[in-house]
Amino acid sequence: VHFRERLHASIREQLAAMLYAEFFASAPFAMRGGVWGTTARLNTWCGAWAAAVNSGNVKPGLVALTCHFLDAPTGETCGRAAVVQTRAGKE
């Protein structure tokens, strides 16, 4: 429910109808009720969204919304993790 209401609905509302149709032409969102095939549909939809983001055709605000929803690490956190990994590799 959270995925549908907080991420999918926001993306659908903020993308122009033509862009949404283009990005997700072969990746319909999961049906309600957890029916058979839900996981596969979500995997396909998320893959299509990742491809759209990586294409550079998505506004930064939607990318930020996605990162926030997924609780992605911030740049500062990623930087610290890279330093720790680099140091660990040298030992």
Side-chain angles (χ1 to χ4, degrees):
V1 173
H2 292 292
F3 199 96
R4 177 183 301 281
E5 293 174 358
R6 294 189 181 159
L7 185 63
H8 174 258
S10 296
I11 290 170
R12 191 170 189 121
E13 288 171 10
Q14 293 183 42
L15 281 179
M18 282 181 51
L19 272 181
Y20 187 89
E22 178 184 330
F23 291 155
F24 300 105
S26 60
F29 195 73
M31 300 174 74
R32 293 181 188 271
V35 296
W36 184 86
T38 297
T39 301
R41 280 183 172 232
L42 285 175
N43 281 336
T44 302
W45 188 90
C46 287
W49 181 235
V53 168
N54 289 331
S55 75
N57 293 318
V58 175
K59 292 181 181 180
L62 279 174
V63 176
L65 172 85
T66 303
C67 290
H68 180 73
F69 177 81
L70 297 173
D71 198 23
T74 63
E76 182 180 311
T77 305
C78 290
R80 275 189 261 135
V83 168
V84 169
Q85 288 176 351
T86 301
R87 287 182 183 157
K90 291 181 180 180
E91 294 177 7

